[in-house]
Amino acid sequence: MRVDKQQIVEMLRARSDHALADRLNVDLPPEVDPTDYPELFQTLELDLDVGDAARHSDAGHHESTHGLPTAG
């Protein structure tokens, strides 16, 4: 499973861990395989959504909203 680095950075910022978010934003590649950084991910204790990570792993591709109900 590859995870978008920005997902990790946003999760860290949401819990006010800005210094670590800034560091990882510089140090990590755009897509991260958590198995390449086992100690880091164990320390971060992030609840990464595997499905969400898979959906957003292709840069520039977005989920289709075709067929979803609209506000009426």
Side-chain angles (χ1 to χ4, degrees), residues 1-4 7-8 11 34 46-57 63:
M1 166 185 82
R2 298 191 71 73
V3 180
D4 183 348
Q7 181 183 15
I8 297 166
M11 292 175 82
L46 296 177
D47 183 23
L48 294 173
D49 178 342
V50 175
D52 189 50
R55 285 190 297 275
H56 296 285
S57 65
E63 294 179 51

Side-chain angles (χ1 to χ4, degrees), residues 13-72:
R13 290 192 195 291
R15 68 180 193 195
S16 298
D17 203 344
H18 300 288
L20 181 57
D22 290 342
R23 192 183 93 218
L24 293 181
N25 195 34
V26 172
D27 293 346
L28 292 176
E31 289 185 357
V32 182
D33 185 342
T35 60
D36 292 341
Y37 304 90
E39 292 175 9
L40 172 65
F41 279 86
Q42 185 176 17
T43 302
L44 293 178
E45 297 179 0
L46 296 177
D47 183 23
L48 294 173
D49 178 342
V50 175
D52 189 50
R55 285 190 297 275
H56 296 285
S57 65
D58 293 326
H61 297 320
H62 303 282
E63 294 179 51
S64 173
T65 57
H66 180 72
L68 293 177
T70 58

